[in-house]
């Protein structure tokens, strides 16, 4: 398979991946390793010592210079004619790769595998073992093995790319990383029919797919259907920079963004153990960093992610590695909504804040969270304040997330074309709800968050008020959650002044409280009196409207039953926390309502009496304004008329005039009593 017409079988032999050559002038039976040194088994004494780290190679000059341009130049172009010692500490692949290259120079068969091919290819390039010196040199043969064996195999491509971690920048310059990444991406996006099951990077009890040309043996289950995430575990063993190269190549080939997001979450769970745990402190993060380092080892070599860090770098080397992972993952998350879960984004954001990730990437991550903020949960939002803030939780962060959500909602509502485009990229079964529903879920989430953080005595009233008023009024159909948060804040801050309590209660609409919430608020001594009155008034208005509406229905039991059922359904929809201890409160409220009706009735009666007295008083005051002389002449004229009438009329009319005089005197007594 590996023989060509231009090359004789005698000179080139790839039998089962084994390279050998019969062209050598020093006959040897092989190499021997003794006391950290390699010796050539031959009768000719060695004339060259090559030192690579702690390993010494006692070799001969001629086999090396005949195939290595670098060795030729170092030995014969040196000013030291009797040069017999070389130091090659900078050779890629180290002593292992040089051992294989030296054996090839002596004509000893070299076994090429996925584990050593990348190091041997880089060492051959370093030693300049080109075709100019001899046909079929090491560069040609290692390059052929890479192209025709490694890149056609899924497992070998993964292993070679993994082995390139210690070969930077040689592996990058020789395009080994690029070619392996593209090969992996092509196979990951290919038809799963080209895959059969075998054991690869997963634990022994778990099966993962393998390509047909990887292994001739039959798989555990030939008929087993290949899942879409079959390649997740294998690519997750790669270092972050190589993982980014693979994911970038997969994106170019058009893989679904849901799968790309899923493999990113899988990789993060493997390399960031603190990401999947709740309630972690900074010390816990450091402990997890040490644990991950013990399992995966520290990174050495070139990481080619161009992401700037901050000046205040974490002192831990493992923390720096984790910060690089987070920065890299943020940069490759697909732009489509719901490519990764909101919970994952929030946990990633928490670790990004702890590890002091670049501010631009943190802002980008906050915007991503704002795109799907309605999917967040309360435990994920309870992010501690790591930036020396007075508050226990980072309330400012939640405020920024809410602002990003509102900006996104406004943008989508103003551009229907963009909204429809985003809907096309949502996976099946998780289609985006309408804006009102999303805002209502966010409102419930914010109310729950306010209830939780309100217990912090260092939380200022301004921060509470700004976060509570950030959402529009239409987002809340019921203010019970907001009332619960206000009540919790009042409990934790008993020293608030009357003005501050009124200011706090302004964020709540009393008309949006449920019946049980109104009952609780009516007996809540922490609320300002004005708010209690507003609650009672709003409840009275609700009851009056209910009675007015029910008067149009049938009387008796047919009228009573619907009201009871509606009340029961309303009570069932209210939070359980408002139903504790309110049995006695209901009785007191009913008593207060009865007394209020009695007071209203008495007030109306007194108002009518007052209006009557006022009219009488006004009438008497007009009479008071006349002068004493005019009143005296009037009285005298009245008496004269009365005497004339007495002489002409009968006695009954006289009694009638006396009765009129009595009635005129009666209002005067009322006036005196009023004054």
């Amino acid at each position: 398979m590996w023989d060509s017409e231009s090359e004789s079988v005698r000179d080139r032999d790839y039998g089962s991946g084994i390279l050998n050559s019969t062209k050598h002038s020093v006959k040897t039976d092989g190499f021997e390793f003794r006391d950290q040194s390699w010796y050539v088994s031959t009768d000719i004494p060695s004339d060259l010592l090559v030192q690579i780290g702690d390993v010494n190679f006692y070799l001969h000059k001629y086999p090396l210079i005949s195939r290595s341009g670098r060795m030729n130049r170092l030995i014969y172009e040196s000013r030291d004619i009797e040069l017999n010692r070389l130091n090659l500490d900078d050779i890629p692949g180290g002593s292992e790769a040089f051992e294989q290259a030296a054996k090839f120079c002596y004509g000893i068969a070299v076994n090429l595998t996925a584990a050593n091919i990348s190091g041997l290819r880089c060492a051959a390039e370093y030693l300049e073992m080109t075709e100019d010196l001899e046909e079929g040199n090491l560069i040609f043969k290692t390059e052929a093995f890479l192209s025709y064996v490694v890149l056609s195999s899924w497992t070998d491509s993964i292993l070679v790319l993994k082995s390139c971690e210690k070969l930077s920048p040689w592996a990058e310059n020789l395009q080994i990383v690029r070619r392996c990444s593209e090969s992996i991406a092509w196979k990951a996006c290919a038809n799963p029919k080209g895959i059969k099951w075998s054991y690869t990077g997963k634990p022994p009890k778990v099966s993962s797919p393998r390509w047909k040309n990887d292994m001739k043996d039959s798989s555990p289950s030939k008929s087993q259907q290949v899942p879409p995430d079959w390649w997740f575990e294998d690519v997750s063993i790669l270092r972050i920079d190589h993982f980014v190269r693979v994911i970038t190549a997969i994106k170019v080939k058009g893989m679904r963004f849901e799968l790309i997001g899923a493999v990113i979450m899988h990789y993060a769970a493997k390399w960031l153990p603190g990401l999947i745990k709740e309630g972690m402190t900074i010390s816990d993060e450091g402990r997890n960093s040490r644990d991950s380092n013990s399992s995966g080892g520290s990174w050495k070599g070139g990481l080619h992610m161009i992401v700037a860090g901050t000046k205040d770098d974490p002192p831990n080397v493992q923390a720096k590695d984790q910060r690089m992972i987070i920065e890299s993952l943020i940069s490759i998350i697909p732009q489509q909504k719901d490519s990764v879960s909101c919970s994952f984004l929030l946990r990633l954001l928490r670790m990004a804040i702890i590890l002091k990730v670049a501010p631009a990437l943190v802002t980008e991550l906050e915007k991503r969270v704002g795109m799907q903020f309605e999917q967040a949960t309360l435990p994920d939002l309870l992010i501690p304040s790591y930036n020396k803030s007075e508050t226990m939780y980072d309330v400012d962060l939640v405020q920024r997330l809410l602002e990003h959500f509102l900006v996104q909602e406004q943008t989508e509502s103003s551009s229907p074309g963009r909204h429809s485009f985003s809907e096309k990229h949502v996976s099946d079964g998780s289609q985006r709800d309408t804006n009102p529903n999303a805002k209502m879920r966010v409102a419930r989430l914010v109310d729950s968050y306010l209830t939780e953080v309100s217990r912090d005595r260092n939380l200022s009233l301004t921060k509470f008020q700004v976060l509570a008023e950030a959402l529009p009024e239409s987002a809340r159909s019921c203010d019970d959650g907001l009332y619960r948060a206000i009540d919790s804040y009042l409990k934790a801050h008993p020293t608030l002044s009357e003005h501050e309590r009124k200011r706090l209660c302004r964020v709540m609409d009393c008309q949006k409280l449920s019946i049980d919430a109104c009952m609780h608020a009516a007996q809540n001594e922490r609320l300002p009196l004005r708010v209690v009155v507003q609650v009672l008034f709003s409840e009275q208005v609700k009851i009056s409207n209910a009675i007015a509406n029910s008067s149009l229905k049938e009387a008796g039991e047919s009228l009573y039953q619907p009201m009871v059922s509606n009340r029961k359904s309303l009570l069932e929809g209210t939070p359980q926390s408002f139903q504790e201890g309110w049995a006695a409160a209901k009785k007191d409220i009913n008593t207060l309502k009865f007394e209020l009706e009695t007071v209203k009735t008495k007030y109306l009666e007194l108002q009518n009496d007052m209006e009557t007295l006022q009219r009488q008083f006004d009438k008497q005051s007009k009479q008071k304004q006349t002068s004493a002389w005019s009143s005296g002449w009037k009285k005298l004229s009245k008496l004269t008329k009365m005497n004339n009438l007495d002489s002409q009329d009968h006695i009954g009319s006289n009694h009638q005039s006396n009765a009129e005089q009595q009635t005129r005197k009666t209002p005067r007594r009322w006036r005196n009593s009023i004054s």
Side-chain angles (χ1 to χ4, degrees), residues 114-404:
N116 65 11
I117 185 61
S118 58
L120 192 56
R121 173 67 182 88
C122 295
E125 189 73 22
Y126 175 86
L127 294 173
E128 301 175 11
M129 303 176 71
T130 62
E131 295 291 291
D132 297 337
L133 297 175
E134 184 175 348
E135 187 179 0
N137 211 343
L138 188 59
I139 290 179
F140 173 81
K141 294 194 173 183
T142 53
E143 189 66 30
F145 186 83
L146 275 172
S147 300
Y148 295 102
V149 178
V150 172
L151 297 181
S152 62
S153 168
W154 167 264
T155 305
D156 289 347
S157 299
I158 293 287
L159 294 178
V160 170
L161 189 56
K162 181 68 177 175
S163 65
C164 290
E165 295 176 359
K166 300 178 181 179
L167 299 173
S168 297
W170 288 91
E172 286 282 352
N173 296 335
L174 295 176
Q175 304 297 318
I176 300 176
V177 174
R178 180 189 62 80
R179 287 182 289 173
C180 288
S181 300
E182 292 181 353
S183 173
I184 295 169
W186 180 82
K187 293 176 175 64
C189 298
N191 192 337
K193 292 181 179 180
I195 305 167
K196 71 176 184 177
W197 287 96
S198 181
Y199 297 108
T200 56
K202 288 191 176 182
K205 294 183 180 180
V206 183
S207 61
S208 61
R210 202 169 186 177
W211 285 80
K212 289 182 178 180
N213 56 356
D214 287 359
M215 191 175 183
K216 296 181 180 180
D217 299 336
S218 61
S219 60
S221 178
K222 292 183 179 180
S223 61
Q224 187 175 359
Q225 185 178 4
V226 179
D229 60 346
W230 63 266
W231 51 281
F232 284 11
E233 185 66 27
D234 290 335
V235 299
S236 294
I237 69 174
L238 300 174
R239 198 176 61 185
I240 183 60
D241 55 334
H242 295 160
F243 177 76
V244 171
R245 294 288 294 271
V246 171
I247 297 302
T248 303
I250 288 176
K251 281 184 177 180
V252 172
K253 297 186 181 302
M255 177 169 282
R256 290 181 300 163
F257 67 88
E258 300 96 334
L259 283 177
I260 296 177
V263 71
I264 290 174
M265 290 191 288
H266 184 86
Y267 188 90
K270 183 179 181 68
W271 291 93
L272 301 172
L275 192 69
I276 59 176
K277 296 181 181 179
E278 298 182 3
M280 298 190 63
T281 59
I282 299 177
S283 59
D284 294 332
E285 296 290 348
R287 191 179 303 112
N288 281 327
S289 300
R290 292 189 292 272
D291 295 341
S292 63
N293 179 60
S294 61
S295 61
S298 60
W299 295 344
K300 295 181 180 179
L303 291 176
H304 299 281
M305 296 304 300
I306 308 175
V307 180
T310 57
K311 294 181 180 179
D312 301 330
D313 290 343
N316 198 317
V317 176
Q318 291 75 32
K320 292 182 179 180
D321 294 341
Q322 287 194 341
R323 187 181 69 183
M324 181 175 292
I325 292 176
I326 293 175
E327 291 177 343
S328 302
L329 293 181
I330 294 173
S331 63
I332 62 174
I333 294 176
Q335 294 297 323
Q336 291 86 349
K337 185 180 184 295
D338 295 330
S339 58
V340 294
S341 66
C342 186
S343 178
F344 170 78
L345 292 174
L346 285 168
R347 294 173 190 272
L348 197 65
L349 179 60
R350 176 185 300 199
M351 290 197 69
I353 295 173
I354 295 174
L355 298 174
K356 301 184 184 302
V357 169
L361 293 177
V362 173
T363 302
E364 179 65 23
L365 192 56
E366 291 177 359
K367 293 180 180 179
R368 293 302 308 272
V369 175
M371 289 175 60
Q372 49 199 95
F373 192 55
E374 69 274 9
Q375 302 172 5
T377 59
L378 179 59
D380 294 329
L381 280 183
L382 295 177
I383 301 176
S385 182
Y386 298 106
N387 297 328
K388 298 180 181 180
S389 177
E390 296 180 355
T391 57
M392 183 183 304
Y393 297 106
D394 198 342
V395 182
D396 295 333
L397 173 62
V398 178
Q399 176 69 29
R400 293 196 300 271
L401 298 178
L402 186 57
E403 290 176 355
H404 291 311

Side-chain angles (χ1 to χ4, degrees), residues 351-466:
M351 290 197 69
I353 295 173
I354 295 174
L355 298 174
K356 301 184 184 302
V357 169
L361 293 177
V362 173
T363 302
E364 179 65 23
L365 192 56
E366 291 177 359
K367 293 180 180 179
R368 293 302 308 272
V369 175
M371 289 175 60
Q372 49 199 95
F373 192 55
E374 69 274 9
Q375 302 172 5
T377 59
L378 179 59
D380 294 329
L381 280 183
L382 295 177
I383 301 176
S385 182
Y386 298 106
N387 297 328
K388 298 180 181 180
S389 177
E390 296 180 355
T391 57
M392 183 183 304
Y393 297 106
D394 198 342
V395 182
D396 295 333
L397 173 62
V398 178
Q399 176 69 29
R400 293 196 300 271
L401 298 178
L402 186 57
E403 290 176 355
H404 291 311
F405 167 77
L406 294 174
V407 170
Q408 180 70 20
E409 289 292 318
Q410 185 178 3
T411 303
E412 291 182 355
S413 61
S414 60
S415 57
R418 181 176 178 180
H419 179 67
S420 61
F421 176 79
S422 64
E423 286 180 344
K424 292 179 182 178
H425 289 79
V426 177
S427 60
D428 295 338
S430 61
Q431 293 201 358
R432 181 176 180 83
D433 294 332
T434 57
N435 291 343
N437 292 335
K439 289 182 180 179
M440 289 179 182
R441 287 198 299 271
V442 171
R444 289 193 294 268
L445 179 64
V446 171
D447 293 345
S448 301
Y449 180 80
L450 287 172
T451 303
E452 188 67 27
V453 301
S454 61
R455 300 185 180 95
D456 184 7
R457 295 190 176 182
N458 293 326
L459 180 63
S460 64
L461 177 60
T462 301
K463 286 187 177 182
F464 184 96
Q465 187 177 7
V466 169

